[in-house]
Amino acid sequence: MENSKKTMEKVVNLCKSRGFVFPGSEIYGGFANTWDYGPIGVELENNVKKAWWKRFVQESPNTYGVDASILMNPRVWEASGHVASFGDPKMDCKSCKQRFRADNLIEDHSKGSVCPDTMTNEEMEAYIAEHNVKCPRCGNFNWTPIRTFKLMFETSRGTIEGEKDVVYLRPETCQGEYVNFLNVQRTARAKLPFAIAQIGKSFRNEITPGNFLFRTIEFEQMELQMFCKDETAVDIYNGYKEKAWQFAKDVGLNEERLRFHDHDKLAHYAKCACDIQYNFPIGWQELNGVHHRGTWDCSRHQEFSGKSMIYTDPVTNEKILPTVIEYSIGVGRLTLALLCEAYDEEVLENGETRVVMHFHPAIAPYKVAILPLQKNLGNKAKEVFALLSKEFMCDYDEAGSIGKRYRRQDEIGTPFCVTIDFDTLENGTVTIRDRDSMEQIRIEIDKLVEYISSKIKF
Ligand code: GAP
């Protein structure tokens, strides 16, 4: 299918109708920029997280996982710089009262060819005026000046009435990795360079034009911090650029829709930073980041906590404040890219069109669907379901014609359909249909687990 015919609207509609993703709090009219994963979506999302963890923790020497608290000591966010400066440049449309990020307006207007990262608020206002960038909602040009909005959600903690301390919902997971640097180093007896990884929820008070899962106020991040000596940091940074690219490709994204985007504007402590961008139906947008963070994080936490973040080299006895290379990617952001990549409308020989999701089998929500050709084959089919569901996430469907049932599985990307027919009762064989080629082979029930396992490896 041509990329130009893949619209976000088609992907969103399929997600809602097939149970991938529903609007958050839908029966109350929704809640902007929140989405709930349904029965199919939660499997997809879990498989994305499993693939990332396998690649970056399980198969990566010197990488250790953590699961840190969402609510952290508020001093963490002073040390990280978020309390002082984590905000977005926002403009309101005075006609329809909708609020937008000025940098997003510029990116969308220029279709990604202009990078607002390097612009001041005044430069962004000038660009918007000069190019007559109109409100995407109502089409008017009637903007307020840019104002900076805080991105951290605040809540409070206190046991005595009236005495409440502000605490923050974490806007990124990596601070939980920095504050545990020496705990992990000591207990894992880790030597530099080593990495700490985690997958967890983050929260940002984002105002977005509503690009589905792309930017939400609550989202999960898969983040990894590699602690190293400064002289090795640039090589490690380049290594993670490659690893991040390879992962994006292996998990199912087409290289033609991926590109590196080196940052023009660097934080004062950073030597280099880049994104990998994906060509979403809304244009080229950031998929993940790889950042050289210098010694900023360790030095700030050392300063604010008063506790040493120094690593002592066991051989040379050298005292080192580690440099950090970070790789960070959003679960929802990657899931959205995979949904867009997988979506396909295929015209069949009989002229009908089938919608099919070509997920990598390891990512597909269900690995196999068990379909009795007729309802009176249900007992045998349930036996096969019991066998396969011990190994894989399976679906079971006996409603409607076999053709309709295949189409339903194609739409949710199930790589294999196993059909139970009358020969199954005679000789213990079933047909197994491949989602992409639609070819069928006959196979013994005893060989199904081995056959499917060999095809869904990541
Ligand atoms: N610790 C570094 C950090 O958080 P970031 O570029 O702000 O860096 C990293 O975020 C990744 O997290 C992004 O590349 C994106 O994949 C994901 N992400 C960030 N904000 C998001 C949001 N509001 N909704 C969904 N995903 C988001």
Side-chain angles (χ1 to χ4, degrees):
M1 180 184 183
E2 278 173 47
N3 206 29
S4 60
K5 293 197 181 138
K6 269 189 210 186
T7 61
M8 193 66 107
E9 201 187 349
K10 286 183 181 179
V11 174
V12 175
N13 286 343
L14 179 86
C15 284
K16 287 187 195 166
S17 67
R18 298 313 320 273
F20 282 99
V21 181
F22 308 120
S25 319
E26 193 175 12
I27 60 169
Y28 287 92
F31 189 56
N33 303 318
T34 66
W35 297 91
D36 296 342
Y37 288 85
I40 312 290
V42 72
E43 297 302 329
L44 180 66
E45 196 196 21
N46 283 341
N47 292 337
V48 167
K49 289 188 271 184
K50 269 189 231 158
W52 189 88
W53 197 261
K54 180 165 186 282
R55 176 66 56 91
F56 289 101
V57 182
Q58 185 180 327
E59 294 174 4
S60 295
N62 297 340
T63 304
Y64 306 92
V66 293
D67 183 11
S69 298
I70 288 173
L71 298 174
M72 302 181 79
N73 187 312
R75 291 277 286 161
V76 167
W77 306 108
E78 289 172 33
S80 68
H82 285 80
V83 171
S85 63
F86 193 47
D88 267 349
K90 301 277 168 63
M91 300 176 93
D92 289 356
C93 170
K94 288 191 265 181
S95 301
C96 71
K97 313 289 179 228
Q98 190 80 14
R99 186 165 289 160
F100 296 92
R101 274 175 61 170
D103 52 342
N104 285 349
L105 289 172
I106 294 170
E107 267 167 3
D108 291 349
H109 177 267
S110 67
K111 299 205 164 39
S113 64
V114 173
C115 175
D117 290 0
T118 51
M119 293 180 172
T120 61
N121 284 359
E122 292 69 34
E123 284 165 341
M124 284 195 271
E125 279 173 1
Y127 178 99
I128 285 165
E130 208 173 295
H131 294 83
N132 197 24
V133 180
K134 299 208 168 85
C135 170
R137 187 166 182 237
C138 71
N140 287 319
F141 183 92
N142 194 10
W143 298 112
T144 62
I146 294 176
R147 287 173 296 167
T148 301
F149 275 75
K150 279 192 189 171
L151 275 173
M152 278 207 293
F153 280 110
E154 289 180 12
T155 183
S156 56
R157 181 170 203 256
T159 44
I160 301 168
E161 184 66 29
E163 275 185 25
K164 295 233 157 91
D165 293 326
V166 170
V167 289
Y168 302 97
L169 298 189
R170 69 180 176 200
E172 57 179 8
T173 56
C174 59
Q175 300 301 329
E177 294 156 43
Y178 303 136
V179 300
N180 280 299
F181 163 63
L182 282 180
N183 283 337
V184 173
Q185 189 275 322
R186 192 184 65 253
T187 52
R189 289 175 294 118
K191 296 192 180 72
L192 292 190
F194 74 91
I196 305 182
Q198 93 169 301
I199 300 178
K201 287 251 167 153
S202 294
F203 305 82
R204 293 184 193 176
N205 193 7
E206 307 260 19
I207 309 285
T208 86
N211 279 325
F212 194 33
L213 303 175
F214 182 80
R215 198 180 294 284
T216 49
I217 58 175
E218 175 181 339
F219 55 100
E220 274 185 289
Q221 288 184 306
M222 305 186 280
E223 295 204 292
L224 179 149
Q225 317 298 316
M226 177 63 103
F227 298 87
C228 58
K229 296 185 181 174
D230 196 51
E231 57 270 29
T232 60
V234 172
D235 283 349
I236 290 174
Y237 166 82
N238 286 325
Y240 271 100
K241 272 177 82 168
E242 290 313 313
K243 283 184 199 166
W245 181 277
Q246 190 63 40
F247 175 72
K249 221 174 86 171
D250 291 348
V251 86
L253 300 178
N254 186 326
E255 266 189 304
E256 286 172 15
R257 285 184 277 281
L258 291 172
R259 71 180 185 193
F260 284 114
H261 168 248
D262 291 317
H263 289 198
D264 300 323
K265 185 171 141 190
L266 292 176
H268 62 90
Y269 50 80
K271 284 213 178 102
C272 33
C274 81
D275 302 335
I276 292 178
Q277 295 185 331
Y278 178 72
N279 195 2
F280 290 90
I282 50 171
W284 287 98
Q285 298 284 349
E286 175 182 337
L287 179 68
N288 70 248
V290 181
H291 311 127
H292 180 309
R293 300 181 59 98
T295 54
W296 164 259
D297 305 288
C298 292
S299 65
R300 292 284 287 190
H301 285 304
Q302 182 164 269
E303 181 189 338
F304 280 70
S305 68
K307 299 277 163 25
S308 167
M309 296 284 281
I310 297 288
Y311 166 88
T312 306
D313 188 298
V315 179
T316 62
N317 224 19
E318 191 189 354
K319 307 277 180 217
I320 297 160
L321 187 64
T323 290
V324 167
I325 301 300
E326 173 182 65
Y327 158 48
S328 173
I329 181 163
V331 176
R333 185 81 58 96
L334 176 57
T335 302
L336 177 61
L338 293 169
L339 284 162
C340 296
E341 183 74 47
Y343 186 92
D344 195 9
E345 291 167 9
E346 263 179 30
V347 181
L348 303 174
E349 278 173 10
N350 64 5
E352 282 177 20
T353 301
R354 73 163 181 156
V355 171
V356 52
M357 298 297 277
H358 295 289
F359 294 122
H360 185 298
I363 299 302
Y366 293 123
K367 306 303 173 211
V368 55
I370 292 102
L371 316 174
L373 202 56
Q374 294 186 8
K375 281 199 177 145
N376 56 6
L377 292 161
N379 286 345
K380 189 71 192 170
K382 281 174 190 150
E383 264 177 41
V384 175
F385 179 87
L387 173 80
L388 297 184
S389 61
K390 287 203 180 349
E391 306 294 330
F392 320 109
M393 200 66 206
C394 300
D395 197 9
Y396 181 89
D397 188 1
E398 55 180 28
S401 73
I402 192 73
K404 283 208 176 104
R405 282 184 271 165
Y406 284 151
R407 292 290 162 275
R408 282 203 286 268
Q409 295 302 328
D410 291 343
E411 281 189 4
I412 57 173
T414 308
F416 301 106
C417 287
V418 164
T419 308
I420 316 298
D421 56 23
F422 288 101
D423 287 346
T424 311
L425 303 182
E426 299 285 311
N427 60 17
T429 65
V430 293
T431 59
I432 184 158
R433 169 191 181 266
D434 180 278
R435 174 198 66 201
D436 298 336
S437 66
M438 294 186 283
E439 274 167 16
Q440 301 188 18
I441 55 166
R442 222 162 165 101
I443 180 170
E444 286 155 39
I445 291 173
D446 294 350
K447 301 223 167 100
L448 276 173
V449 169
E450 193 188 334
Y451 179 84
I452 296 166
S453 302
S454 71
K455 304 272 179 186
I456 63 171
K457 286 218 166 74
F458 179 74

